[in-house]
């Protein structure tokens, strides 16, 4: 079996051996990155490969998967002449989080822990639960009160133990991190573990392949913890660095106006979060993150791409969800924020792709 690459702290450079169960930097307690710089395969060489995200084997830090459920390779459909949607709710657990969760479960299987723990507002937890079931690994998911009952049902159906935490998303994360420090525990964090980002980056590798070796002018991406956005930035850097792209797309990050710490920091030209974040109820529960641990990386990725941040109101979210449903696409509230941000002409004629990240059946329609 190929040795696992080291992880390292992007702040202070401290390195963590690839086979360690450590989940954060021992000095600053921040998230880790992966010492891994792959070279993607040329377009023509992809013909005839397995029809899942594992077709991009050269770009993945793990090989020979044992827990795959056929994730990835989701379709593109046109919404307007300028905008296409990638239907990432058509994955095994009905959200894009499967792309990263399969990497975490595969990694955990190699580590052989006593148990796996995760925290989530819903979709990441259901994905980790499913892939742990596939790997026959015991799994506990910490979720905040108010998490969709349908998502809780899905986690429990996969055999996960669900721990409801009094408080919001941050409280659930704190509880999971406390459990992660116990011996022989693997923390399947979609935020702290860089393997998750190397799974979500396949979203862009698929776009590049399906668009014939190019990318749109703009990638519109949700930004809560930023796992899809940071994965997209990784893929763009890989493709451009290998000479497989002649230009980089701009990254447009979308937050709910009710919880928009990154958008506020971007508007203030700050390198990190600023001040106290105002948190109001939002239909976009999946991106309602007041203190994203990778905030500096998200802000830097958007700026370096020449991109921007957009915010959407609750009315815009509700209307976008109804609009997509009228087009035959039933998407959960969080999963429609990118379409909500650009559907009324914000692109100014630029070509773009928006992700539809989670199925509407997971949480139902947005209501007042």
């Amino acid at each position: 079996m190929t040795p696992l690459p080291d992880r390292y702290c992007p702040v202070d450079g401290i390195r963590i051996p690839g086979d360690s169960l450590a989940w954060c930097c021992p000095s600053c307690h921040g998230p880790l990155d992966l010492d891994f710089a792959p070279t993607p395969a040329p377009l023509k060489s992809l013909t005839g490969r397995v029809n899942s995200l594992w077709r991009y084997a050269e770009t993945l830090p793990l090989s020979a998967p044992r827990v795959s459920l056929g994730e990835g390779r989701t379709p593109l459909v046109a919404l307007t002449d300028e905008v296409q949607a990638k239907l990432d709710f058509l994955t095994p657990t009905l959200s894009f989080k499967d792309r990263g969760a399969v990497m975490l479960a595969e990694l955990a299987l190699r580590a052989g822990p006593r148990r796996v723990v995760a925290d989530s507002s819903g979709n990441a937890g259901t994905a980790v639960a499913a892939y742990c079931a596939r790997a026959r690994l015991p799994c506990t998911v910490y979720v905040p009160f108010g998490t969709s009952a349908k998502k809780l049902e899905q986690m429990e159906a996969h055999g996960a133990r669900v721990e409801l935490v009094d408080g919001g998303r941050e409280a659930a994360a704190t509880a999971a991190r406390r459990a992660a420090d116990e011996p022989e525990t693997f923390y399947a964090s979609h935020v702290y573990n860089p393997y998750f980002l190397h799974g979500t980056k396949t979203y862009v590798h698929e776009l590049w392949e399906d668009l014939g070796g190019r990318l749109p002018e703009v990638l519109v991406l949700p930004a809560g913890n930023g796992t899809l956005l940071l994965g997209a930035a990784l893929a763009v850097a890989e493709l451009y660095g290998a000479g497989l792209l002649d230009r980089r797309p701009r990254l447009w990050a979308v937050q709910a106006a009710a919880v928009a710490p990154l958008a506020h920091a971007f508007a203030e030209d700050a390198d990190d979060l600023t001040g106290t974040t105002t948190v109001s109820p939002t239909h976009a529960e999946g991106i309602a993150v007041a203190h994203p641990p990778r905030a500096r990386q998200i802000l830097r990725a958007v700026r370096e791409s020449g991109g921007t941040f957009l915010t959407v109101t609750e009315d815009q979210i509700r209307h976008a969800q109804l609009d997509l449903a009228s087009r035959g696409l039933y998407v959960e509230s969080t999963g429609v924020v990118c379409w909500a941000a650009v559907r009324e002409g914000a692109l100014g004629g630029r070509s773009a792709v928006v992700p539809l990240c989670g199925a509407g059946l997971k949480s139902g329609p947005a209501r007042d």
Side-chain angles (χ1 to χ4, degrees), residues 69-161:
L69 291 167
E71 54 287 329
R73 299 298 293 145
T74 55
L76 272 175
V77 300
L79 296 178
T80 69
D81 291 340
E82 301 169 345
V83 184
Q84 296 185 78
K86 188 160 175 60
L87 311 190
D88 246 30
F89 63 88
L90 298 180
T91 58
T93 76
L94 307 181
S95 91
F96 86 93
K97 296 290 176 61
D98 289 348
R99 294 182 182 275
V102 66
M103 302 297 289
L104 296 184
E106 189 69 36
L107 183 63
L109 193 61
R110 298 179 188 213
R114 178 174 54 85
R115 66 166 181 164
V116 174
V117 299
D119 58 276
S120 173
S121 61
N123 284 335
T126 60
V128 169
Y131 284 94
C132 281
R134 181 75 165 176
R136 296 291 187 264
L137 291 168
C139 176
T140 300
V141 184
Y142 293 84
V143 300
F145 275 104
T147 298
S148 162
K150 295 178 183 179
K151 293 176 182 177
L152 297 179
E153 180 183 346
Q154 189 178 5
M155 292 178 212
E156 291 173 337
H158 290 309
R161 175 184 173 186

Side-chain angles (χ1 to χ4, degrees), residues 79 85-90 324 329 331 335-336 339 354-358:
L79 296 178
K86 188 160 175 60
L87 311 190
D88 246 30
F89 63 88
L90 298 180
L324 286 171
L329 300 167
V331 184
V336 308
W339 177 234
V354 300
L356 305 184
C357 298

Side-chain angles (χ1 to χ4, degrees), residues 9 22 25 37 42 72 82 84 101 112 115 123 146 151 162 164 166 191 204-205 221 234 243 262 275 280-282 300:
C9 175
C25 173
E82 301 169 345
Q84 296 185 78
R115 66 166 181 164
N123 284 335
K151 293 176 182 177
V162 175
L164 287 170
D166 188 15
V191 181
V204 166
H205 283 288
L221 300 154
L234 277 174
L262 293 163
S280 301
T282 177
R300 184 170 63 249

Side-chain angles (χ1 to χ4, degrees), residues 80 82-83 252 339-350:
T80 69
E82 301 169 345
V83 184
W252 285 18
W339 177 234
V342 302
R343 75 186 188 99
E344 294 182 353
L347 287 162
R350 300 178 183 91

